[in-house]
Amino acid sequence: MKRTGNTIFITGGGSGIGRALAHRWHDEGNRVIVAGRRREALEETVAGRSGMAYYELDVSDPDAIRSVAGRLTTDHPGLNVLVNCAGISGLEDPTTTRDLSRTSDIVETNLLGPIRMTDALVDHLKGQPDAAILVVSSGTGFVPYPGAATYSASKAAIHSYTLSLRALLKGATQVIEIIPPMVATDLLDGLTASPLSVPLDKFADDVMAQLTGQPEADEIIVEEVEPFRFAERDGKMREIVASMIADD
């Protein structure tokens, strides 16, 4: 991915990782468009930043995706980068019967959301110079957090989908997976205060440094997520899962 001169569309750009990366890309001289469900958060994200714009969008709504994609390519014909960052989580106990409505929402948002968003824009992106699709997954897609089993499963699935997309788009559009560790955001209660969470600014800075230093990279793997990303290779999967259960 080139460093500057892009037109970048970021889902989940109103807060957390999406907002942090949006501001850094904008500071680098890119035109940045963010999308999210909360207008107030989007307005705060773009406030005082010339060249930034926003669209209200719930990526769990396929009709809304199609509508925003049509407006986006009309309003910003130079769009060449899609960043699928929108995501939700939730603690759960899959060992007992429960209400699965949140489970369904997680799958719709975290898996079908980026699949549908990519589908809506891929034909446009393939015709653009320096095109890229970035997908924000999670370290829990490689080692599941048992307390958020569906979230972890959705991230494992989007990792697999990203691998397929990269192979099929080779030579046409770069496909990059950003793999966060536990980051201090509002994704789950307690993350911002946890001493185990990586500060948001540090994570975003590390991501940008890797994107700049390794513009052809397939994956962005910050230091703190390496134990998760390589757990299966290193034979540490069961040990890490057991430690997370013990911590709960």
Side-chain angles (χ1 to χ4, degrees):
M1 178 182 174
K2 69 177 183 177
R3 179 175 177 178
T4 191
N6 300 291
T7 300
I8 304 173
F9 177 65
I10 309 174
T11 68
S15 62
I17 291 171
R19 176 187 282 187
L21 293 178
H23 285 170
R24 282 158 177 78
W25 273 313
H26 185 255
D27 289 342
E28 292 281 1
N30 298 283
R31 179 177 297 276
V32 180
I33 306 102
V34 294
R37 292 176 296 174
R38 296 177 292 136
R39 177 188 288 267
E40 182 178 352
L42 294 168
E43 290 175 342
E44 290 175 358
T45 299
V46 306
R49 289 180 169 267
S50 177
M52 285 193 73
Y54 72 84
Y55 296 91
E56 290 184 77
L57 173 65
D58 181 349
V59 297
S60 69
D61 182 343
D63 291 335
I65 286 176
R66 285 191 291 269
S67 174
V68 167
R71 291 161 53 202
L72 178 65
T73 53
T74 298
D75 296 343
H76 305 278
L79 175 74
N80 69 309
V81 177
L82 165 65
V83 183
N84 286 305
C85 188
I88 60 173
S89 187
L91 300 178
E92 59 184 319
D93 180 4
T95 67
T96 186
T97 301
R98 64 201 192 283
D99 179 3
L100 292 176
S101 57
R102 181 64 174 181
T103 299
S104 297
D105 290 343
I106 290 170
V107 174
E108 284 279 346
T109 301
N110 296 1
L111 179 58
L112 293 178
I115 290 174
R116 289 167 173 157
M117 196 77 250
T118 300
D119 179 75
L121 293 173
V122 68
D123 286 339
H124 173 85
L125 291 170
K126 285 190 299 184
Q128 297 286 65
D130 302 305
I133 297 171
L134 285 74
V135 178
V136 178
S137 62
S138 170
T140 62
F142 299 88
V143 180
Y145 172 41
T150 302
Y151 174 80
S152 301
S154 72
K155 293 301 186 177
I158 202 60
H159 165 68
S160 177
Y161 192 85
T162 302
L163 291 175
S164 296
L165 193 66
R166 181 181 299 122
L168 293 169
L169 286 174
K170 184 177 181 179
T173 301
Q174 186 179 9
V175 178
I176 304 168
E177 182 175 358
I178 299 174
I179 308 171
M182 191 164 76
V183 179
T185 69
D186 60 1
L187 184 67
L188 280 175
D189 289 343
L191 284 185
T192 55
S194 173
L196 299 177
S197 294
V198 177
L200 178 58
D201 283 341
K202 179 185 186 303
F203 172 71
D205 288 342
D206 290 349
V207 168
M208 295 301 294
Q210 286 198 28
L211 285 170
T212 299
Q214 306 171 44
E216 302 302 320
D218 291 336
E219 296 181 350
I220 302 300
I221 307 169
V222 300
E223 179 182 1
E224 293 86 352
V225 85
E226 288 179 1
F228 278 61
R229 176 62 183 91
F230 303 117
E232 187 169 10
R233 180 198 68 184
D234 297 341
K236 298 290 188 179
M237 178 80 73
R238 291 186 180 183
E239 177 184 331
I240 298 174
V241 171
S243 72
M244 288 191 284
I245 293 174
D247 290 342
D248 286 346

